[in-house]
Amino acid sequence: MMMILAKAVARVCLWASAKMDAAAAARARYAVTEEPAGGPGSPRVILLHDYQTGIKAAVTPFEGGELASLSVRFHHLPIELLYRARDYGSAPDFRGKAPLLWPAIGPQYNVTMVPDMTCGDGTYMAGDCTCRMPCDGFAKELPWSEAGHSDGAKGARLMLELRDSEQTRVSYPFGFLVQAAYELADGSLTINYTVSASRENPAPMPFSIGNRMAFRLPFLDGTEPDAMRFQTNCTRQTLLAEAGTVNGEQGDRLFATPTRLGDFDATEPLPLSGYQNIIPFARLIDLQGVALRIRHRASTTLPEPVVQFNVYGGPRQGFLCPAPWFGMPDSRSSGKPLVMLEPGGDWQWTVELSPEIALEPC
């Protein structure tokens, strides 16, 4: 009886596999489409599809050009990884998704005082100007322009761009072009950011950069959020003063072995550093079979200490933000490590998101 059942299951599996192969052969592996993010009146999202792996990414040009959704296929079902994915309803305290933070990361403090807000706006000096800078910069709040998309045998691609304007020059008196090239290929989503400084800029253009990507806890129903794992190859943690300012001190911190989320506290951000001479990575792991690896690299270096992942959230919050960063909190007003881009120069930052999916049963 068991032999008959096994043969029947095998026949069903072969039939299902053949049907899936036929469906895959009937269409290209990669495609670019678009649709509303949600209900009527919601912003438009542009979708990058990999039908072979089941990975799908949604990008919202008008909402900061941000990554609005990243889903994978597990046991033949779509699994959303981002927190508050495609949610553009009432404005929450924490928007989730994956917005670009530029030209500043973290809270910005006034030249003469520290604000009371956790992520407050502040001021900094640019020449003779005392300029205002929003928390985490302004790129996440502005509409981006589409500069083309394509799909073919090697991947699906979307290019967005943001240029300086009268609005941006109020807080950032520089000419610039920021391009975000999203590419879904070979089982990974890569975001290539290119920052270009105008030749007309009177001085080098200073900035920091990051992406506050937030992921759902847990990835899979039935997993205890506390049991999710976090891993990264940092060796140090940048210590913050009570007001959230950087005081230059560091302490040892290791997450080389995947660590239960229930065993550490990131309700206050953990700025992680000490990634010398290695490509920084972070992994968020659901032991039922879905993990995500994040890697990033820049075209230049900065002197240590430099924060390369800023971890925030946890099981009680329902999300974890292993945000890739390149800089320091409040770098605009504190003068901590900044990229200084010469007039006419270009600079690149690449963030790669690679889902890791356990083999699915038939």
Side-chain angles (χ1 to χ4, degrees):
M1 185 62 152
M2 293 298 295
M3 182 68 70
I4 294 173
L5 179 59
K7 288 182 178 180
V9 170
R11 284 195 296 272
V12 171
C13 287
L14 287 172
W15 173 83
S17 177
K19 186 174 181 181
M20 291 175 66
D21 289 344
R27 63 182 174 187
R29 173 174 176 175
Y30 299 106
V32 180
T33 64
E34 61 179 74
E35 64 188 24
S42 63
R44 180 174 59 99
V45 295
I46 299 176
L47 302 167
L48 307 181
H49 304 263
D50 179 347
Y51 292 115
Q52 180 174 309
T53 64
I55 300 173
K56 181 170 63 174
V59 180
T60 318
F62 199 74
E63 296 286 340
E66 69 183 357
L67 180 66
S69 169
L70 180 65
S71 63
V72 300
R73 186 172 62 219
F74 183 69
H75 290 187
H76 311 295
L77 295 175
I79 303 297
E80 178 61 58
L81 302 183
L82 281 182
Y83 179 72
R84 296 189 66 90
R86 298 176 63 157
D87 182 354
Y88 292 100
S90 57
D93 291 336
F94 185 73
R95 65 193 276 173
K97 298 176 277 297
L100 175 68
L101 314 181
W102 188 86
I105 52 178
Q108 303 303 298
Y109 303 132
N110 294 328
V111 172
T112 57
M113 62 180 294
V114 174
D116 295 331
M117 297 176 63
T118 302
C119 194
D121 298 351
T123 56
Y124 70 99
M125 298 301 300
D128 295 331
C129 172
T130 302
C131 300
R132 187 157 207 81
M133 179 61 65
C135 177
D136 287 329
F138 51 71
K140 67 185 184 304
E141 307 296 344
L142 298 176
W144 289 51
S145 301
E146 297 174 45
H149 66 265
S150 64
D151 52 54
K154 294 185 177 180
R157 302 169 190 84
L158 169 67
M159 177 72 79
L160 302 180
E161 60 183 34
L162 178 69
R163 295 180 181 272
D164 64 279
S165 64
E166 291 184 7
Q167 180 181 359
T168 65
R169 284 179 176 269
V170 171
S171 60
Y172 195 58
F174 298 94
F176 64 82
L177 169 65
V178 181
Q179 295 174 304
Y182 290 85
E183 181 174 15
L184 183 57
D186 300 324
S188 294
L189 175 68
T190 302
I191 315 173
N192 290 296
Y193 296 103
T194 301
V195 181
S196 301
S198 170
R199 294 182 182 278
E200 306 302 317
N201 287 345
M205 187 173 79
F207 61 86
S208 298
I209 197 167
N211 189 303
R212 196 180 59 227
M213 47 188 62
F215 299 97
R216 298 172 57 241
L217 298 181
F219 285 156
L220 300 170
D221 292 342
T223 297
E224 288 294 329
D226 283 358
M228 294 274 290
R229 301 295 201 267
F230 173 71
Q231 179 186 21
T232 185
N233 52 348
C234 70
T235 59
R236 308 283 281 169
Q237 175 183 342
T238 296
L239 303 180
L240 303 178
E242 184 175 350
T245 55
V246 175
N247 57 19
E249 296 181 7
Q250 288 195 302
D252 294 335
R253 195 66 186 255
L254 297 176
F255 289 97
T257 300
T259 304
R260 292 178 75 256
L261 299 192
D263 291 344
F264 69 93
D265 183 10
T267 52
E268 296 294 332
L270 301 178
L272 302 180
S273 54
Y275 293 89
Q276 299 100 320
N277 303 318
I278 52 177
I279 295 177
F281 81 85
R283 292 176 73 222
L284 188 56
I285 306 159
D286 188 313
L287 296 181
Q288 288 194 76
V290 174
L292 182 72
R293 180 185 292 266
I294 306 160
R295 288 177 288 194
H296 71 98
R297 59 188 181 275
S299 59
T300 61
T301 60
L302 285 174
E304 289 288 340
V306 54
V307 175
Q308 302 217 50
F309 280 100
N310 190 51
V311 182
Y312 172 65
R316 305 288 81 80
Q317 287 75 30
F319 66 85
L320 190 75
C321 238
W325 274 22
F326 192 70
M328 293 286 277
D330 189 36
S331 55
R332 294 297 295 123
S333 55
S334 66
K336 301 297 180 182
L338 287 163
V339 177
M340 302 296 291
L341 188 59
E342 295 290 336
D346 297 321
W347 184 88
Q348 289 80 38
W349 187 51
T350 300
V351 180
E352 184 180 276
L353 304 173
S354 300
E356 301 171 355
I357 310 299
L359 291 177
E360 300 182 11
C362 173

